[in-house]
Amino acid sequence: MRRFLFTAAVLAAAALPALAGGPQCRWAHSWDEALAEAKARNVPIHVTFHKDG
Amino acid sequence: MDSSVYANKDFVAASKRWVNVYCSKDSGHGTEKVGDKEMCKLHPTITCEEHVACNASAGGKYFQGTFRAPATVWCKPDGTEIGKQQGSMSAKQVIEKMAEAEKVVGAGLDSDSYQYLLDKLAAGEKAATDGKTKEAVETYAGILKAMGKNPGAKAYTDKAQAALDRLTEEARKKIEDAQAAKDAKAFAKARELLKSVQVDFKGQPVAKDAEKALAEVAAAEKAAGGK
């Protein structure tokens, strides 16, 4: 189990720089900024949540 | 989804057609230095404080109580929910759902075009304020040429057209002043005014008017010299 966790941690750490170096989605810096820009551009908002609420 | 969706090149390309908000109250993944700022290690274009704040702002709007993450919501520009899904989605699924949202919202601007328009309108305004009329005219005319047929850009092309119209109005006043100078036999002054319109507004209809007026000045000067 410890070996599995170690391997998973190494793989996750290795994936982070790759994620940062590849193509990147541009995220809004705040909810208000998102609303203002979506209105100015007349485009939908894509909201994604990544922690159990 | 962090690595399977948000780093997917098709998703990244499609995501330019929407505004994207990443919400997570988790900051345990750490940060990395980008320039002189500590940015989120998962998404280095935002800080962890920003995605935590987005989570606080948007979380309660779409889910009551506990919900299963990851969760995705697609909404109208004012934040009104169109649809949502709890659980992981593939890049293709997110793109499809967002395409449905685009149909609901109608014609819009992709982020590259939006940035282009903001930059160019600001550049045109600065050039006009600095008295660089030729540069301002070229900038506004460039906006109209590049974006004139994009229905999502209408609000911005209208601004560019209005700014170009204001400059053109000034050019027409110069032509009137030149005609008055011609009538007063101040031919050099008339030529100077008209040539400035020709140069600054090259390619614009008002430049043709200046050209015609110049011909009239030349004829008047010749007639005056002949007397």
Side-chain angles (χ1 to χ4, degrees):
Chain A
M1 181 64 181
R2 287 174 67 183
R3 175 177 254 178
F4 170 76
L5 289 173
F6 175 76
T7 305
V10 168
L11 287 173
L16 287 173
L19 187 63
Q24 288 183 32
C25 174
R26 191 169 73 88
W27 301 105
H29 294 283
S30 71
W31 178 245
D32 287 342
E33 180 194 281
L35 289 174
E37 185 176 330
K39 186 180 173 191
R41 291 170 50 195
N42 192 44
V43 293
I45 305 174
H46 160 237
V47 194
T48 182
F49 294 90
H50 286 268
K51 185 79 179 176
D52 286 343
Chain B
M1 291 173 77
D2 285 322
S3 57
S4 64
V5 176
Y6 309 131
N8 178 290
K9 66 177 173 54
D10 293 333
F11 174 83
V12 172
S15 72
K16 293 181 178 186
R17 305 199 306 265
W18 332 305
V19 168
N20 302 281
V21 184
Y22 189 86
C23 303
S24 173
K25 61 186 177 185
D26 182 14
S27 55
H29 42 259
T31 62
E32 69 175 32
K33 203 106 174 162
V34 177
D36 59 350
K37 288 185 177 174
E38 287 294 335
M39 306 303 284
C40 173
K41 197 160 193 170
L42 288 177
H43 299 287
T45 58
I46 53 172
T47 66
C48 288
E49 289 78 11
E50 286 170 342
H51 67 60
V52 170
C54 282
N55 186 72
S57 301
K61 294 182 191 300
Y62 307 108
F63 298 101
Q64 272 72 51
T66 303
F67 64 91
R68 192 158 51 90
T72 305
V73 184
W74 42 102
C75 18
K76 292 180 183 175
D78 64 359
T80 306
E81 179 185 318
I82 296 172
K84 64 186 171 196
Q85 183 165 320
Q86 294 184 49
S88 192
M89 295 172 77
S90 67
K92 187 169 177 281
Q93 287 172 318
V94 178
I95 291 169
E96 284 171 358
K97 290 298 179 189
M98 291 309 297
E100 288 175 20
E102 286 176 81
K103 282 183 187 165
V104 172
V105 173
L109 269 180
D110 65 84
S111 58
D112 290 344
S113 299
Y114 177 61
Q115 198 56 53
Y116 165 86
L117 287 163
L118 292 184
D119 291 347
K120 289 292 181 184
L121 283 170
E125 191 176 336
K126 185 175 186 313
T129 303
D130 292 347
K132 297 175 179 172
T133 305
K134 183 175 192 294
E135 190 179 320
V137 168
E138 285 173 353
T139 303
Y140 292 132
I143 291 172
L144 295 171
K145 188 176 179 186
M147 293 284 164
K149 289 180 182 172
N150 183 341
K154 189 175 183 312
Y156 299 90
T157 53
D158 283 352
K159 281 183 188 174
Q161 185 64 64
L164 187 57
D165 289 348
R166 280 194 298 275
L167 292 171
T168 303
E169 190 57 36
E170 288 173 19
R172 295 208 180 283
K173 280 180 188 156
K174 273 190 177 182
I175 293 175
E176 284 175 18
D177 289 347
Q179 283 166 339
K182 178 196 73 177
D183 294 344
K185 297 190 170 34
F187 300 116
K189 186 185 175 189
R191 275 198 304 274
E192 185 188 341
L193 286 166
L194 294 169
K195 280 182 180 172
S196 74
V197 173
Q198 269 194 312
V199 170
D200 290 345
F201 290 81
K202 190 178 177 185
Q204 299 295 312
V206 75
K208 292 274 181 197
D209 296 341
E211 190 180 326
K212 282 181 198 166
L214 259 176
E216 288 169 14
V217 169
E221 192 172 10
K222 190 176 177 183
K227 280 181 183 174

